Amino acid sequence: QLEALRSAAGPPAVVGRCAALLSHSAGQASPEAFREALTELLAAHGDNAATRLELAGSFWRAFEYNKVMEQIEAAQKLGPIPVDGEALLAYTLSRQLRYDECRAVYERLVARHPNRESWIVNGVHDGYYHLLRIEQDYEKAAAVLEAAPAAVWF
């Protein structure tokens, strides 16, 4: 797959990110080596949001939430980040107990994409619902519960 991407003249940053991810997911590279490879890509091919967000995800899996925020903020400076990056932002804000900011991100995400199927997989509706319960906004939590696709709750 990687060779097909190279032969199709994929952008070097994309090819490098894919190579690092494949190596990491195959167990050939430690999480630290994966982060190092992504950092080297940023240095070699310039700053880009996708690599920053991949790096943020790696820090998330290591519970290094301040570093996650650094990477997301750097990606945001480059322009709007993809929806999955915003979901990662919401999760991170929640872990840092920054509930007001987290709620704003969740509300923006759900309002723009109320029936997005990936919310089922990555738990956006669930996270938003639990955040509202923490804040004791039971009416809004009930509305989120009503509006979410049924598969979210099973």
Side-chain angles (χ1 to χ4, degrees):
Q1 296 169 343
L2 191 56
E3 287 308 315
L5 186 58
R6 280 190 181 116
S7 66
V14 172
V15 173
R17 198 167 49 252
C18 289
L21 186 57
L22 287 171
S23 178
H24 176 62
S25 64
Q28 298 168 345
S30 67
E32 294 79 18
F34 178 60
R35 287 191 287 272
E36 185 178 321
L38 293 174
T39 302
E40 288 172 5
L41 282 170
L42 289 169
H45 302 290
D47 217 355
N48 69 74
T51 303
R52 289 275 180 198
L53 293 174
E54 194 67 52
L55 198 50
S58 179
F59 284 126
W60 167 262
R61 290 182 291 281
F63 308 104
E64 296 184 48
Y65 302 122
N66 289 335
K67 291 181 180 181
V68 173
M69 289 302 297
E70 289 172 11
Q71 295 305 317
I72 291 173
E73 288 168 0
Q76 287 174 321
K77 288 178 183 175
L78 300 171
I81 61 174
V83 174
D84 292 340
E86 287 195 54
L88 180 59
L89 172 61
Y91 303 147
T92 305
L93 291 169
S94 175
R95 291 289 192 256
Q96 292 181 321
L97 308 179
R98 294 165 60 183
Y99 294 131
D100 290 340
E101 295 166 86
C102 176
R103 182 177 182 160
V105 174
Y106 275 135
E107 288 177 351
R108 187 171 59 240
L109 283 168
V110 173
R112 282 191 306 184
H113 308 281
N115 296 311
R116 187 178 167 99
E117 286 188 31
S118 71
W119 292 163
I120 296 166
V121 175
N122 66 24
V124 167
H125 278 98
D126 188 49
Y128 186 31
Y129 171 74
H130 289 292
L131 172 67
L132 292 169
R133 289 185 52 215
I134 288 168
E135 293 181 337
Q136 298 180 355
D137 189 345
Y138 301 116
E139 289 180 26
K140 183 76 173 183
V144 167
L145 187 62
E146 276 293 311
V152 169
W153 309 112
F154 298 103

